[in-house]
């Protein structure tokens, strides 16, 4: 559920430059989806290879799709589910083995997915 993601880029560095999908979001960045955990088989899911744009300045809320970093150098992309003051992460893929990923005090929500697309 967590993948290693060392922070190897300085601000302004990139492997590829894309047009910004969200106006007035200067800190927005894009990532490529890796793996099937967020592919629910519908048009609303995310497929391996899709490009997602993340706004780190957006306020997150229940049912947002988010990028989360654990206390180390690992990140994951999942749906945020909140019940009262408790939140956890869930994959959209119904056959994914880790159905609930708890958030602890070491987890940080890096940003909210605000756009997704794929190369055709």
């Amino acid at each position: 559920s967590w993948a290693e993601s060392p922070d190897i880029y300085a601000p302004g560095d990139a492997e590829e430059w894309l047009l910004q999908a969200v106006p007035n979001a200067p800190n927005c960045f894009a990532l490529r989806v890796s793996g099937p955990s967020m592919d629910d088989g519908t048009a609303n899911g995310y497929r391996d290879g899709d490009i997602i744009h993340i706004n780190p300045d957006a306020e997150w809320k229940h049912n947002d799709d988010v990028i989360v970093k654990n206390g180390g150098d690992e990140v994951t992309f999942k749906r945020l589910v909140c019940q009262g003051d408790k939140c956890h992460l869930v994959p959209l893929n119904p056959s994914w083995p880790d159905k609930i990923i708890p958030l602890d005090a070491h987890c940080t929500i890096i940003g909210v997915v605000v756009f997704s697309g794929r190369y055709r």
Side-chain angles (χ1 to χ4, degrees), residues 61-65 79-82:
K61 62 188 178 316
H62 172 70
N63 272 341
D64 277 343
D65 298 326
R79 170 109 358 121
L80 181 69
V81 175
C82 298

Side-chain angles (χ1 to χ4, degrees), residues 14 17 28 31 34 36 38 50 56 64-65 69 72-74 84 97-98 106 112-115 118:
W17 289 97
C28 197
L31 297 173
S34 177
M38 291 295 281
D50 282 358
D64 277 343
D65 298 326
K69 186 173 185 177
D73 287 331
E74 296 176 317
D98 297 324
H106 303 290
V112 177
V113 175
V114 292
F115 174 84
R118 66 183 57 113

Side-chain angles (χ1 to χ4, degrees), residues 31-115:
L31 297 173
R32 186 177 310 275
V33 174
S34 177
S37 72
M38 291 295 281
D39 187 352
D40 64 357
T42 72
N44 292 325
Y46 304 87
R47 289 170 185 75
D48 187 58
D50 282 358
I51 303 295
I52 54 176
H53 290 234
I54 295 92
N55 186 351
D57 300 324
E59 289 194 34
W60 49 266
K61 62 188 178 316
H62 172 70
N63 272 341
D64 277 343
D65 298 326
V66 295
I67 304 296
V68 178
K69 186 173 185 177
N70 67 7
D73 287 331
E74 296 176 317
V75 297
T76 193
F77 164 45
K78 299 290 182 281
R79 170 109 358 121
L80 181 69
V81 175
C82 298
Q83 298 164 331
D85 61 347
K86 301 278 186 192
C87 294
H88 59 272
L89 303 172
V90 297
L92 298 183
N93 185 333
S95 58
W96 195 252
D98 297 324
K99 302 289 186 207
I100 295 176
I101 301 167
L103 293 178
D104 62 28
H106 303 290
C107 293
T108 303
I109 296 176
I110 299 300
V112 177
V113 175
V114 292
F115 174 84

